[in-house]
Amino acid sequence: KGKVRNVYDLGQSYLIVASDRISAFDYVIPTIIPDKGRVLHKLSMFWFDFIQGVVPNHIITGNFESFLPSIKQYEYLRDRSMIVKKAKRVDIECIVRGYLAGSGWKEYQRSQTVCGIKLPGGLKESSKLPEAVFTPSSKEEGGKHDENISFEEMVKRVGKDTAESLLRISLELYKRVSEDSFSKGIILADTKLEFGFYDNQLILIDEIFTPDSSRFWEIDKYEEGKPQDSLDKQYVRDYLERIKWDKSSPAPELPKDVVEKTMEKYISLYEKLIGVGF
């Protein structure tokens, strides 16, 4: 059981179920966001199809109708579940940043760097970076927080060939998806990707380019020099910071208006990117 996903071992494969749970700052929030799991699943399936040819992925099927009868008896799983290959996960979160936001902006103000990478002076909050940067982090278990690591540290952990492949593939995926999103009126500010090995081949796993794993902004509302009104879970993070939750006590329940607004943002993003009603 992960923060958002439940994973079931089917023997030769896994069943991954996207729940309606939401996490922020690595904590699971006790309030669910209705239909959120369906948005994550359907967007991931859309992007897995879109990026075919760049890197293989773990999908066997995300089509509920093709599931075994023993699984199909659970109607809840429809449009939120995928059967995937059993990959050996690479314990690195591959983060690509095309814009200066979040923790990257905080660090830049201190040291003109993002994850130790030197950037030009004069950038503002939400500025587009001269070119996208790859900023890996560790993948921690047991409630520990992931930590930013240097490319050199990543090489030590996974080897030079794997590290260089992760860098190259992550940047290529970000480029393709950000260009497609931009053509639909959406800026992909940054994203997180995960990979694994299957039959000794590097493959893409987990979810991809969803409002849980990425930061999305609307082009017509974009304004450099301030935080953006994003179509992702930043809205929940902003609420938690606004109420000054100290992250030491259990996460608080979300009020009804925050739940509704978050869902509205997720569905709006889905409809803009895929071009059909949710």
Side-chain angles (χ1 to χ4, degrees):
K1 184 173 179 178
K3 289 194 283 288
V4 172
R5 277 167 195 70
N6 295 337
V7 181
Y8 299 87
D9 191 335
L10 301 182
Q12 296 301 306
S13 57
Y14 288 127
L15 171 70
I16 300 184
V17 183
S19 76
D20 292 334
R21 297 190 297 271
I22 192 164
S23 69
F25 306 113
D26 282 337
Y27 291 85
V28 178
I29 310 300
T31 316
I32 65 162
I33 309 289
D35 275 341
K36 174 179 163 284
R38 293 175 61 228
V39 172
L40 299 188
H41 169 76
K42 292 169 89 169
L43 258 180
S44 285
M45 293 304 298
F46 173 79
W47 290 124
F48 276 125
D49 187 55
F50 179 83
I51 54 86
Q52 278 187 32
V54 179
V55 60
N57 63 63
H58 68 165
I59 300 292
I60 295 172
T61 180
N63 177 10
F64 179 78
E65 294 303 333
S66 66
F67 290 179
L68 292 169
S70 57
I71 302 173
K72 274 176 72 178
Q73 64 179 303
Y74 303 104
E75 183 61 28
Y76 170 80
L77 299 178
R78 185 184 294 275
D79 289 340
R80 63 168 73 239
S81 309
M82 51 179 80
I83 294 173
V84 303
K85 298 167 184 167
K86 281 186 165 181
K88 184 180 186 325
R89 191 182 72 186
V90 177
D91 288 334
I92 299 287
E93 299 218 316
C94 295
I95 298 164
V96 181
R97 302 169 191 261
Y99 290 74
L100 199 49
S103 62
W105 166 240
K106 287 175 183 166
E107 182 185 331
Y108 178 82
Q109 291 175 91
R110 291 194 303 269
S111 56
Q112 214 173 299
T113 60
V114 169
C115 301
I117 298 168
K118 194 73 179 165
L119 294 177
L123 297 177
K124 302 172 183 173
E125 183 169 12
S126 306
S127 285
K128 187 175 195 295
L129 299 177
E131 56 183 301
V133 293
F134 178 75
T135 60
S137 76
S138 62
K139 181 86 182 153
E140 302 294 346
E141 293 291 353
K144 291 184 184 170
H145 295 293
D146 302 338
E147 295 197 1
N148 295 331
I149 58 174
S150 66
F151 184 76
E152 291 69 31
E153 174 62 25
M154 183 169 90
V155 169
K156 282 184 200 164
R157 295 186 184 203
V158 302
K160 188 167 182 283
D161 288 351
T162 299
E164 287 178 349
S165 294
L166 293 173
L167 166 69
R168 176 181 54 78
I169 295 166
S170 297
L171 289 172
E172 176 64 20
L173 291 174
Y174 175 82
K175 181 175 184 289
R176 291 204 184 194
V177 172
S178 61
E179 285 173 356
D180 184 75
S181 300
F182 200 84
S183 73
K184 296 164 178 173
I186 298 290
I187 291 168
L188 172 61
D190 54 46
T191 197
K192 170 181 72 72
L193 300 162
E194 293 192 36
F195 296 85
F197 279 97
Y198 182 79
D199 282 350
N200 295 317
Q201 183 179 35
L202 199 60
I203 66 170
L204 189 57
I205 64 170
D206 198 48
E207 64 175 4
I208 56 169
F209 303 109
T210 72
D212 265 21
S213 67
S214 314
R215 216 181 291 261
F216 290 101
W217 303 333
E218 293 171 90
I219 291 172
D220 57 7
K221 291 182 181 174
Y222 171 68
E223 199 177 324
E224 191 183 32
K226 63 172 198 175
Q228 307 303 304
D229 179 20
S230 51
L231 295 177
D232 50 58
K233 71 174 177 182
Q234 187 60 40
Y235 188 75
V236 172
R237 291 192 200 103
D238 290 345
Y239 166 76
L240 294 172
E241 293 200 320
R242 203 161 61 243
I243 64 168
K244 297 190 164 42
W245 171 51
D246 64 7
K247 304 182 186 68
S248 61
S249 54
E253 293 277 359
L254 301 176
K256 187 164 178 276
D257 63 308
V258 172
V259 171
E260 287 172 353
K261 186 69 176 172
T262 302
M263 201 56 239
E264 189 183 301
K265 284 172 176 288
Y266 275 51
I267 289 174
S268 172
L269 177 72
Y270 172 90
E271 292 180 343
K272 284 176 164 64
L273 289 175
I274 295 190
V276 296
F278 181 71

